[in-house]
Amino acid sequence: MSDTTTAGSLQEEVREYYRAKAAEAETSGACCSPDPQTFGPAAYDEIGPGTALLASLGCGNPSAVAELREGETVLDLGSGGGLDVILSARRVGPDGRVFGLDFLEEMLALAARNVADAEIDNVVLLKGTIESIPLPADTVDVIISNCVINLSLNKPAVFAEMARVLAPGGRLGISDVVAEDRLSPEERAERGGHSQCIAGALSVAEYKELLDAVGLKDAEVVFTQEAADGLHAAIIRAHKPVDGTAGAQECEPGGTCC
């Protein structure tokens, strides 16, 4: 089997897996995460039950990780059923805006219903891939993502796109599954499948190298809980310098840069 065939098979596997999860959330309202102690609703303690919460497939709460502020523009990569979009929209308030990006019509439809039920009007849902974000450069204050980047088969493209759409002074607040540096890609694959957020996980060193390669600075990767032997749910943060140099300070929303 060629690399192209393998990549195509994995992409279709991911699509079918999450298409089924969207249908499951619609029909049963059940938690559709592989391990509810590590993935899904367990990470959210500030809201009550609901379809959006029960449809969570992530490994953290990135809207809290990113410390969102009033008036900011936020992009959620792989917005799924819309939980993080809804929470982000509430955090940034009526003067802010949240883009939710997903590649599945079924997930976008689920998210649209959940956003409507939450009576949120500062959300824009977009169809597209995280490797080719359908937004102009330098337009987003904050990028969040919840256990989605590990699913990509072209991670350098994802990191390049994040750096492109972030405005100077913008930042990342991401939840993802990350491997300890001791594990090889083959060892990661032995511990779980690609669609289940394990086989495609980057190591700590790989995450930091990819962030640095696109000019995103002060990267930190903090493990939060074990997802499998040598793999962990983690918080990833970094920022885009204001003037292209490391250590530049961020701009306050609506303010001036220091």
Side-chain angles (χ1 to χ4, degrees):
M1 182 180 294
S2 69
D3 289 344
T4 301
T5 302
T6 301
S9 299
L10 282 174
Q11 287 175 333
E12 188 57 28
E13 173 194 321
V14 170
R15 287 180 182 276
E16 289 305 314
Y17 182 85
Y18 288 97
R19 187 174 285 122
K21 294 306 181 186
E24 181 181 334
E26 285 284 6
T27 57
S28 69
C31 172
C32 44
S33 55
D35 176 4
Q37 298 305 310
T38 303
F39 300 87
Y44 299 87
D45 57 9
E46 77 258 45
I47 58 175
T51 304
L53 176 62
L54 295 175
S56 173
L57 294 162
C59 57
N61 183 348
S63 62
V65 166
E67 299 177 352
L68 302 180
R69 307 163 185 157
E70 292 262 347
E72 290 188 312
T73 297
V74 179
L75 169 63
D76 181 9
L77 298 180
S79 49
L83 175 58
D84 294 316
V85 164
I86 292 168
L87 294 179
S88 297
R90 290 173 176 163
R91 289 175 185 269
V92 301
D95 293 331
R97 182 162 59 165
V98 180
F99 293 101
L101 175 65
D102 206 278
F103 71 143
L104 283 181
E105 293 280 2
E106 292 86 350
M107 280 296 184
L108 290 167
L110 176 60
R113 284 187 282 275
N114 288 329
V115 167
D117 288 345
E119 299 182 345
I120 300 292
D121 60 7
N122 57 340
V123 165
V124 178
L125 297 175
L126 303 170
K127 184 179 181 182
T129 69
I130 62 176
E131 296 86 2
S132 182
I133 299 170
L135 287 174
D138 302 333
T139 54
V140 175
D141 297 311
V142 188
I143 292 176
I144 65 171
S145 184
N146 198 349
C147 206
V148 170
I149 292 174
N150 60 69
L151 297 173
S152 174
L153 303 182
N154 187 357
K155 293 180 179 68
V158 177
F159 283 75
E161 280 291 272
M162 288 194 293
R164 181 184 67 82
V165 300
L166 269 180
R171 65 193 186 278
L172 306 178
I174 291 171
S175 298
D176 210 351
V177 173
V178 180
E180 296 174 15
D181 290 333
R182 65 182 175 87
L183 294 186
S184 68
E186 292 75 22
E187 289 171 324
R188 297 169 213 172
E190 291 171 357
R191 286 157 169 77
H194 194 88
S195 296
Q196 290 76 32
C197 305
I198 300 297
L202 294 167
S203 70
V204 174
E206 289 166 346
Y207 235 110
K208 290 183 175 180
E209 287 168 4
L210 284 169
L211 289 168
D212 185 66
V214 297
L216 298 177
K217 302 300 182 182
D218 298 330
E220 63 174 3
V221 179
V222 179
F223 292 155
T224 57
Q225 58 183 320
E226 187 174 73
D229 177 33
L231 292 110
H232 305 262
I235 293 167
I236 301 96
R237 295 186 178 96
H239 77 273
K240 183 174 180 176
V242 173
D243 59 2
T245 60
Q249 296 183 4
E250 296 178 5
C251 299
E252 290 295 327
T256 57
C257 299
C258 302

